[in-house]
Amino acid sequence: MVGLTSAAGLVGYLSEPDPELQIYALRRLDDHMDLLWTEVAGSVGQIEALYEDDNFPEQGLAALVAAKVFYHLQAYNESMKFALGAGNLFRLDKQGEFEETIISKCIDTYIAMSAIKDTATTSKASNRAPLQLSTAFPSNPTGSASTAAAMTSPTTPFSQSTLPSKSLLSRQGTATSFESSIPGGAPPGFSGTDSDLFNFQKGIGGNLECVIAQLFEHCYQEGRYRQVVGIAIEARNLDVLRKTILRAEEDEKKTGAKKPDEVSKSEDLLEYVLRICMTLVPEMTLRNDILKLILDLLNEIPAPDYFAIAKCVVYLDLHSMASQLLKTLVEKEDSKSMAIAYQIAFDLYDNSSQEFLSKVRKEIPQTDEEEANPKVDASNLDGESAKETDQLLSELNETVENKPELSEAQRKAFSSIGLILRGTKSIELSLEFSYRNNHTNISILNKIKDSLEARNSIFHTAVTFANAFMNSGTTSDIFFRQNLEWLGKAVNWSKFSATAALGVIHKGNLGQGKKLLEPYLPRETNLVAGSVFSQGGSLYALGLIYANHGTRVLDYLQEQFNKAQEEVVQHGGALGLGVAGMATGSEEVYKDLRKVMYSDSALNGEAVGLAMGLVMLGTGNIKALEDMILYAHETQHEKIVRGLAMGMALIMFGRQEAADELINGLLDEPDPTLRYGGIMAIAMAYCGTSSNKAVRKLLHIAVSDVNDDVRRVAVMSLGFILFRKPGSVPRMVELLSESYNPHVRYGAAMALGISCAGTGLAEAIDLLEPMVKDPTDFVRQGAWIAMAMILIQHNEAMNPKIALIRKALLKTIANRHEDAMAKFGCALALGIIDAGGRNCTIGLQTQTGNLNMAGIVGMAVFTQYWYWFPLSHFLSLSFMPTAVIGLDHDLEIPNFKFHSATRPSLFDYPPEQEAKIDEAPKKIATAILSTTAQAKRRAQKRVKDQKNDQMDVDQTPTTPKVGGDDKMDLDVKVEDPKAEDSKVEDPKADKAAPGESEAGKEDEKKKAKDKSDKREAEKVGYSLDNMSRVLPAQLRYISFPESRYEPVKKPTGGVILLTDKNPSEPKSLLELKVKQVSTAPAAAPESVEDQINEAYRQSNATQAVGAAAAAGVLTAVDEDEEGMPDAELPESFDYFSEDEGDAQ
């Protein structure tokens, strides 16, 4: 049959009164609509009339034809309406662009309608008044801080007042700012107002539900459960989500396709839901609802995934469920359950705050040691309540006595879990790994030291930071011990930073941390006091050693902080308190810090404000925020305001929508320092969420704010928001990196470094390469630091540019014409790129994918080095050891090997740079005349002839002299006297020839070595010992082929518990080297005065070596220290001239 070339006749049939002709015309038009739609478009009104005519027998056919006409006209919403009206004639299983487009529009509309319905339900369910933040923010005429602040609160999610985005997974939403309402907003996928959407729902909403139901059923039949899960999460429909997971389980049971060792479809689906919930769902309320659903479903499974349960428990802050999970596993008493319990305890420590861990420890059964020394939180005890608390404790003890006794295995297990939850075991293992695998190249540090003038404070501090970063956690302070003269040039705040660097170097050395710093810590003595800068730095260092694990030293730091009278000591004590008491939420420590803040001292006020935020990290404490906001408006010191602004941002860590009111209030402030705090609040509250709302706000401020500091931090904060999507950052900041404003360019560089840290992303490196040649010195500084962050732990096999970048860093430092700030950045970069003995990377998320709270906070505070150099030490909190540490169910370290299916050179350590020894200038060779050479040659020939004659006469063999054979052989080989003459007569050639031969031999050796290395590199796969370095990119190639030990979960780096398949056989264990080699304590004489006498006044003293000498140098009082009397003026003196004998 010949195809239609014109639709004129068929269109004419639509006007006929006979329904059969109209139906015939509609069917023909439906078959040829792709060719004839241009002619039919003018008669679409007639087709719509037929669809609306109740007496017309084929209304569905008319609706389908109208839908196709509107589809070609690109009116997709109208097309969807008529397609839904077509009923069964619109076939979902038919392949075609029209069907795919309409299905896509139906899904978008379903998501929008379901989300609006869920939002309305949530709003009605919330009947209590939201908690308001009382602030002194400037108010608008309506009496609120801003439009958003008037409609939101720390407890009201952003989603309750704003229409949801089109796709939670693609982040393409309509919310462009932190405003909580957008007038006239409508969901993507539907044009018009909200009333239009509800009218549409009333019309053919039922047909839409049917289409979606058919679509879901079609997916179920084909096993595409993940598509349904994605739609359900975007639509916020948890009922569909639950039904899909249960349907997957039912279908698997019916088919019986599951094998014993395979993971079931439902478990795999739960893991998928958990993964996208953690990484892609931006709203906290929706995420919590999904996690609760997952938790309920996991608990219903006979053999659940305990690690997934632990993940949900941490996110939902369900400490009681965490302790119950540990109890359940320990009560089974089999080795695998014990190993799983220990692994969960390690995961809890890595992913939880100190406050959460302390609650879990209190809820698990206490061991004898813990019961003998109970610790009561003094912050909750008042004078009158002490008696009641004692009574409650006695009743609790009676209750404990009535409980059934634990078996010996259970007591041992709970004791071990307590050590793990305290962090003692994890830190001990990390310290052992760093000590065993320390590959710090001391020659690089010596090059930096020799290239930078130590008398310049910024250069001395730069070398200190480089040394601290390179040796972070290795306990190796050999550089300080070997360079006492250089160390003695540290004065004032350089001495403060140098002393604090010991805390970075010995980070995690819990057993000997306080003993190491004993010579530097403040003493209760009336003798000559040491330098207040070394005392303040020692308190800061003590906090860094016990960072995020300050239970042992928190009381001591608090006591020293309260006793301190010097502002410098208070400054160091506040920083130490903040680092050690991070996220403890201790009201007592907070009150002590607030008391010092009210003294209105600019020097210690900045540190105190920061420490208050660290102690209350992530708690969202309203009272603390009100105190800090109020004092920020009262004080006149910019440093105090900056510290408080950072503190408020830290308090809102991870709070997301709950921080919107504070953010809007700070961003509306006229003071740029408080606006700076508002930007940091966005970075901390939405860190790692990839929130489209936060990104849009930051980009808007980056190009609109009038203050350079605010614009710089706005661009920089993009790195904190998007570090889980590093690939999207280079494209986003590409134009900003070419901005006319150098502060914006610096922010773009740091954003790349923060978000792409450790990834070696080529796009980021390409953007940073031109920035290291920027005309502005601090832009070059930021570019070098960011480059080091990105290329940390990379070798030439992973990135060929790394060798050139290292050379460029050393060349920049050695360049005398380079600016000081760029050199400072290069020194920090060299320390970062080899951080932790080349065994650490920068980790803003844990090995299991959760937010690394300490790492993010450390990076955020490190960026404040722009204002205060000593804060650079906070970067050490972001250093995460890259190791695989296997433990058995007894928490012992077995000696076993695991396999890496890669070439050995791919993830190997970078080659160490050999230190070039500066040779003394060579003396010019004395010229030898030809006559002299001839005379020497004749004498040598005469001696040789005599020896030959003697050998002919003497027949009795004699013992030859040492080396005689060589000389004779050499003399016999000289057969050409002319060649010998030429060699002797030309002294230059005589000297050049040996050098050339040696160089040739060295080249041959190198070539041979390179060939052998290449042959070895061709072999894919090699074995690694336990406690070896394994990079994050290498984890997917790791396997455990040994038949004896098997990991309890998929290796994710860090501590991995192993199950022993042959427990009856003897096992080989690794011994801890850190315990065997006791770190040399910073032993010092009894008093500081003795230290000074031995280190400085006794030139012939040889006892003050090593750590004691370093202690004497750092604790010595500076001549120009603050508060010390000025030196006396020299007395008048006489001098005599040569010509005159009279005194002048």
Side-chain angles (χ1 to χ4, degrees):
M1 181 178 179
V2 181
L4 291 176
T5 58
S6 175
L10 295 176
V11 171
Y13 286 162
L14 296 177
S15 302
E16 294 291 334
D18 188 359
E20 293 184 0
L21 292 176
Q22 295 172 339
I23 293 172
Y24 171 78
L26 290 173
R27 288 175 178 171
R28 296 297 304 275
L29 290 174
D30 179 40
D31 295 336
H32 301 84
M33 183 58 68
D34 293 339
L35 298 175
L36 307 176
W37 68 270
T38 53
E39 300 180 54
V40 182
S43 303
V44 69
Q46 294 178 343
I47 301 175
E48 288 187 45
L50 292 176
Y51 165 66
E52 295 173 355
D53 186 2
D54 296 334
N55 297 323
F56 186 66
E58 294 288 344
Q59 286 181 301
L61 180 60
L64 183 61
V65 173
K68 291 185 177 181
V69 173
F70 282 113
Y71 164 75
H72 287 289
L73 292 173
Q74 297 185 1
Y76 299 122
N77 288 324
E78 294 294 328
S79 177
M80 178 190 64
K81 291 180 183 179
F82 286 104
L84 292 175
N88 295 331
L89 294 179
F90 176 64
R91 297 176 58 187
L92 299 178
D93 55 347
K94 186 177 180 180
Q95 300 293 330
E97 292 184 3
F98 167 72
E99 286 76 14
E100 292 178 0
T101 304
I102 299 304
I103 290 174
S104 176
K105 296 298 296 183
C106 289
I107 292 174
D108 287 343
T109 306
Y110 170 77
I111 290 172
M113 292 172 58
S114 299
I116 289 179
K117 188 185 301 181
D118 179 78
T119 302
T121 304
T122 306
S123 300
K124 291 180 180 178
S126 179
N127 295 323
R128 63 184 180 86
L131 183 62
Q132 296 293 336
L133 177 63
S134 301
T135 66
F137 294 134
S139 301
N140 56 23
T142 62
S144 62
S146 64
T147 305
M151 301 187 67
T152 60
S153 73
T155 58
T156 303
F158 180 78
S159 59
Q160 293 187 10
S161 53
T162 310
L163 294 174
S165 60
K166 171 185 177 181
S167 173
L168 300 177
L169 307 182
S170 64
R171 296 293 193 278
Q172 298 174 356
T174 57
T176 60
S177 69
F178 281 79
E179 295 300 324
S180 55
S181 63
I182 303 177
F190 191 89
S191 60
T193 62
D194 297 343
S195 58
D196 295 334
L197 179 63
F198 285 108
N199 291 333
F200 164 76
Q201 183 179 1
K202 291 178 181 179
I204 52 177
N207 293 346
L208 177 64
E209 295 287 345
C210 293
V211 169
I212 295 299
Q214 294 177 22
L215 182 64
F216 287 170
E217 184 62 31
H218 189 64
C219 291
Y220 293 152
Q221 293 175 0
E222 295 185 355
R224 295 185 297 173
Y225 302 102
R226 293 191 176 188
Q227 282 84 340
V228 183
V229 165
I231 295 173
I233 292 178
E234 292 190 33
R236 308 168 69 95
N237 195 329
L238 300 187
D239 294 334
V240 174
L241 181 61
R242 176 187 288 271
K243 178 182 176 182
T244 303
I245 297 173
L246 296 177
R247 175 66 181 269
E249 185 178 3
E250 292 176 2
D251 293 346
E252 190 174 29
K253 288 180 180 179
K254 291 178 181 178
T255 56
K258 180 182 178 298
K259 296 181 181 180
D261 297 335
E262 289 184 353
V263 179
S264 65
K265 291 183 179 179
S266 59
E267 293 177 357
D268 180 64
L269 200 59
L270 280 172
E271 183 181 353
Y272 171 74
V273 174
L274 182 60
R275 184 169 66 252
I276 64 174
C277 179
M278 296 293 191
T279 56
L280 299 178
V281 177
E283 295 184 21
M284 183 179 292
T285 51
L286 177 59
R287 185 188 306 121
N288 291 344
D289 292 340
I290 296 174
L291 289 176
K292 290 177 182 177
L293 172 63
I294 295 173
L295 201 57
D296 294 339
L297 293 173
L298 286 172
N299 289 327
E300 295 175 1
I301 299 176
D305 184 356
Y306 293 107
F307 303 109
I309 294 177
K311 227 182 225 186
C312 298
V313 162
V314 172
Y315 262 85
L316 296 174
D317 198 24
L318 301 175
H319 52 86
S320 299
M321 185 171 288
S323 59
Q324 184 60 41
L325 179 62
L326 294 173
K327 292 176 187 176
T328 303
L329 290 169
V330 171
E331 288 173 357
K332 294 182 179 180
E333 294 193 13
D334 61 291
S335 59
K336 185 172 183 180
S337 298
M338 291 290 186
I340 293 175
Y342 292 151
Q343 186 69 66
I344 289 175
F346 278 112
D347 292 346
L348 288 177
Y349 174 75
D350 290 338
N351 301 314
S352 308
S353 64
Q354 291 192 60
E355 185 180 9
F356 181 90
L357 294 173
S358 64
K359 292 178 180 178
V360 176
R361 288 201 308 269
K362 292 177 182 178
E363 293 173 354
I364 61 174
Q366 304 294 310
T367 59
D368 294 337
E369 298 177 359
E370 295 171 344
E371 291 174 357
N373 299 313
K375 292 185 179 180
V376 181
D377 189 0
S379 62
N380 298 327
L381 295 182
D382 296 328
E384 298 180 357
S385 61
K387 296 181 180 179
E388 299 177 1
T389 305
D390 294 338
Q391 182 179 357
L392 291 174
L393 287 175
S394 62
E395 294 176 359
L396 181 61
N397 291 333
E398 294 177 0
T399 306
V400 172
E401 292 176 357
N402 295 331
K403 289 184 178 180
E405 292 186 0
L406 300 173
S407 65
E408 185 63 27
Q410 291 177 356
R411 295 183 70 85
K412 180 181 177 182
F414 284 122
S415 177
S416 300
I417 289 174
L419 289 176
I420 296 172
L421 293 178
R422 286 189 184 88
T424 307
K425 196 67 180 178
S426 295
I427 296 174
E428 177 185 328
L429 294 171
S430 298
L431 189 68
E432 174 69 18
F433 163 74
S434 299
Y435 181 82
R436 281 173 173 266
N437 300 277
N438 185 11
H439 283 71
T440 301
N441 194 345
I442 199 71
S443 63
I444 296 178
L445 281 174
N446 289 326
K447 287 181 181 179
I448 300 174
K449 176 181 69 69
D450 296 337
S451 301
L452 300 179
E453 181 59 47
R455 289 177 296 181
N456 194 332
S457 177
I458 185 176
F459 291 156
H460 195 287
T461 304
V463 179
T464 299
F465 291 146
N467 174 43
F469 294 157
M470 281 189 185
N471 294 287
S472 175
T474 63
T475 72
S476 174
D477 54 3
I478 188 173
F479 179 76
F480 280 160
R481 301 172 189 266
Q482 292 179 351
N483 296 277
L484 295 180
E485 182 181 355
W486 168 85
L487 190 61
K489 296 180 182 179
V491 294
N492 297 340
W493 290 105
S494 296
K495 182 173 293 186
F496 179 92
S497 298
T499 311
L502 294 174
V504 178
I505 294 172
H506 295 279
K507 186 182 71 170
N509 196 352
L510 306 181
Q512 303 176 8
K514 193 173 179 182
K515 183 180 178 181
L516 285 163
L517 297 173
E518 188 175 356
Y520 313 96
L521 293 170
R523 296 188 178 187
E524 297 179 3
T525 177
N526 296 326
L527 299 176
V528 179
S531 171
V532 294
F533 291 97
S534 64
Q535 293 178 21
S538 65
L539 294 176
Y540 184 15
L542 191 61
L544 290 169
I545 290 177
Y546 292 87
N548 199 25
H549 187 266
T551 53
R552 295 186 181 182
V553 296
L554 204 57
D555 294 338
Y556 173 79
L557 286 170
Q558 190 175 356
E559 179 185 357
Q560 293 298 327
F561 176 74
N562 292 330
K563 288 181 179 179
Q565 300 297 325
E566 296 287 344
E567 291 183 340
V568 177
V569 181
Q570 289 179 338
H571 184 94
L575 292 177
L577 265 178
V579 179
M582 186 186 301
T584 57
S586 174
E587 290 288 343
E588 185 179 359
V589 175
Y590 170 78
K591 290 177 181 177
D592 290 340
L593 292 168
R594 184 181 60 184
K595 180 180 177 182
V596 175
M597 180 188 67
Y598 287 156
S599 64
D600 203 42
S601 170
L603 184 59
N604 56 30
E606 182 176 16
V608 167
L610 183 62
M612 292 164 67
L614 288 170
V615 171
M616 293 293 176
L617 179 64
T619 61
N621 192 302
I622 299 296
K623 183 64 172 64
L625 289 172
E626 291 176 352
D627 293 341
M628 298 169 78
I629 292 169
L630 183 63
Y631 195 74
H633 287 90
E634 291 179 356
T635 185
Q636 299 297 320
H637 296 290
E638 182 181 353
K639 291 175 71 67
I640 297 179
V641 177
R642 184 179 298 112
L644 291 172
M646 275 299 300
M648 287 186 284
L650 294 174
I651 290 177
M652 285 300 180
F653 175 83
R655 306 292 292 182
Q656 297 189 20
E657 294 88 0
D660 285 354
E661 182 185 6
L662 176 68
I663 292 171
N664 284 299
L666 291 175
L667 293 181
D668 288 340
E669 283 284 343
D671 186 355
T673 307
L674 288 177
R675 295 204 304 276
Y676 185 102
I679 299 297
M680 288 305 300
I682 296 176
M684 293 294 97
Y686 289 89
C687 58
T689 62
S690 303
S691 171
N692 185 45
K693 176 180 66 171
V695 170
R696 287 178 179 270
K697 189 66 175 177
L698 291 174
L699 290 175
H700 172 70
I701 295 175
V703 297
S704 63
D705 200 278
V706 296
N707 185 269
D708 286 336
D709 288 350
V710 177
R711 297 181 66 181
R712 181 182 68 248
V713 75
V715 181
M716 189 191 307
S717 297
L718 291 171
F720 290 101
I721 305 296
L722 298 169
F723 68 79
R724 279 179 167 164
K725 291 185 175 180
S728 63
V729 179
R731 184 177 66 255
M732 187 172 296
V733 302
E734 183 176 5
L735 295 178
L736 295 173
S737 65
E738 301 174 358
S739 171
Y740 72 94
N741 190 326
H743 292 266
V744 175
R745 298 200 299 272
Y746 172 89
M750 292 299 292
L752 290 170
I754 293 168
S755 61
C756 306
T759 61
L761 197 63
E763 293 84 352
I765 298 298
D766 292 340
L767 284 180
L768 289 173
E769 282 180 341
M771 298 180 74
V772 299
K773 301 176 183 179
D774 195 274
T776 307
D777 52 359
F778 62 79
V779 176
R780 297 197 298 274
Q781 177 192 83
W784 284 124
I785 293 175
M787 190 88 74
M789 289 180 180
I790 296 172
L791 293 175
I792 187 172
Q793 284 196 320
H794 278 64
N795 56 22
E796 292 189 38
M798 301 171 70
N799 194 318
K801 294 182 179 179
I802 187 69
L804 297 176
I805 291 174
R806 286 180 179 271
K807 290 181 181 178
L809 286 168
L810 292 172
K811 183 178 179 182
T812 304
I813 289 178
N815 186 2
R816 295 183 178 180
H817 304 289
E818 185 60 82
D819 293 317
M821 294 189 70
K823 288 186 176 182
F824 179 85
C826 288
L828 261 64
L830 285 170
I832 293 170
I833 204 169
D834 290 334
R838 297 181 173 178
N839 293 306
C840 292
T841 187
I842 295 178
L844 300 187
Q845 55 183 340
T846 62
Q847 301 280 11
T848 56
N850 292 350
L851 294 179
N852 182 8
M853 180 184 66
I856 294 171
V857 171
M859 179 65 73
V861 181
F862 164 74
T863 60
Q864 304 307 303
Y865 82 88
W866 179 279
Y867 303 102
W868 191 233
F869 283 160
L871 297 180
S872 300
H873 286 309
F874 270 82
L875 184 61
S876 63
L877 302 182
S878 300
F879 294 156
M880 184 173 62
T882 53
V884 168
I885 304 174
L887 301 179
D888 60 12
H889 64 277
D890 294 325
L891 294 185
E892 295 176 331
I893 309 173
N895 186 7
F896 74 100
K897 294 182 181 295
F898 54 93
H899 185 73
S900 176
T902 60
R903 299 190 307 272
S905 61
L906 182 58
F907 298 107
D908 197 8
Y909 288 96
E912 293 191 3
Q913 297 183 3
E914 298 180 358
K916 294 183 180 179
I917 302 175
D918 295 335
E919 299 178 355
K922 298 180 180 180
K923 295 182 179 180
I924 299 175
T926 305
I928 301 176
L929 299 177
S930 59
T931 55
T932 305
Q934 291 176 0
K936 288 183 178 180
R937 187 168 61 254
R938 293 192 196 99
Q940 291 176 359
K941 186 176 181 182
R942 208 177 298 118
V943 173
K944 183 178 70 172
D945 293 340
Q946 291 177 0
K947 288 183 178 181
N948 292 333
D949 294 340
Q950 291 177 0
M951 291 184 67
D952 293 339
V953 174
D954 297 333
Q955 297 180 359
T956 305
T958 59
T959 303
K961 295 182 180 180
V962 178
D965 292 341
D966 296 339
K967 282 189 175 182
M968 289 179 65
D969 294 339
L970 180 62
D971 293 335
V972 171
K973 288 180 181 179
V974 179
E975 297 178 356
D976 189 0
K978 294 183 180 180
E980 187 178 359
D981 291 344
S982 62
K983 290 180 182 179
V984 176
E985 291 176 0
D986 189 1
K988 294 182 179 180
D990 187 43
K991 289 182 175 294
E996 289 177 0
S997 61
E998 292 176 3
K1001 291 179 180 179
E1002 291 179 1
D1003 292 338
E1004 291 178 0
K1005 290 181 180 179
K1006 288 182 179 179
K1007 290 179 180 179
K1009 185 178 180 181
D1010 292 339
K1011 289 181 180 179
S1012 63
D1013 291 343
K1014 288 181 179 179
R1015 284 195 295 268
E1016 292 178 2
E1018 292 174 358
K1019 299 178 181 178
V1020 177
Y1022 62 103
S1023 297
L1024 290 170
D1025 294 325
N1026 193 10
M1027 298 197 82
S1028 295
R1029 186 185 82 151
V1030 177
L1031 303 187
Q1034 190 179 0
L1035 284 171
R1036 55 182 173 174
Y1037 303 107
I1038 296 299
S1039 60
F1040 291 79
E1042 283 198 8
S1043 58
R1044 178 166 185 177
Y1045 293 104
E1046 182 181 1
V1048 297
K1049 70 169 187 175
K1050 183 179 179 181
T1052 55
V1055 179
I1056 298 177
L1057 269 294
L1058 308 168
T1059 55
D1060 190 353
K1061 296 182 179 179
N1062 302 318
S1064 59
E1065 296 181 4
K1067 55 185 178 181
S1068 175
L1069 302 177
L1070 296 177
E1071 296 183 1
L1072 297 180
K1073 294 184 178 180
V1074 175
K1075 289 185 177 180
Q1076 295 176 359
V1077 182
S1078 59
T1079 306
E1086 295 181 359
S1087 65
V1088 180
E1089 184 178 7
D1090 293 337
Q1091 297 175 31
I1092 301 171
N1093 292 336
E1094 290 193 17
Y1096 287 101
R1097 297 175 186 173
Q1098 297 180 6
S1099 59
N1100 60 348
T1102 58
Q1103 299 176 357
V1105 294
V1113 171
L1114 288 176
T1115 57
V1117 180
D1118 301 328
E1119 295 180 357
D1120 57 346
E1121 192 169 307
E1122 297 177 3
M1124 299 297 293
D1126 297 335
E1128 297 181 359
L1129 295 174
E1131 298 179 357
S1132 60
F1133 60 93
D1134 299 333
Y1135 68 93
F1136 298 91
S1137 62
E1138 296 179 357
D1139 298 336
E1140 300 178 2
D1142 299 334
Q1144 301 294 330

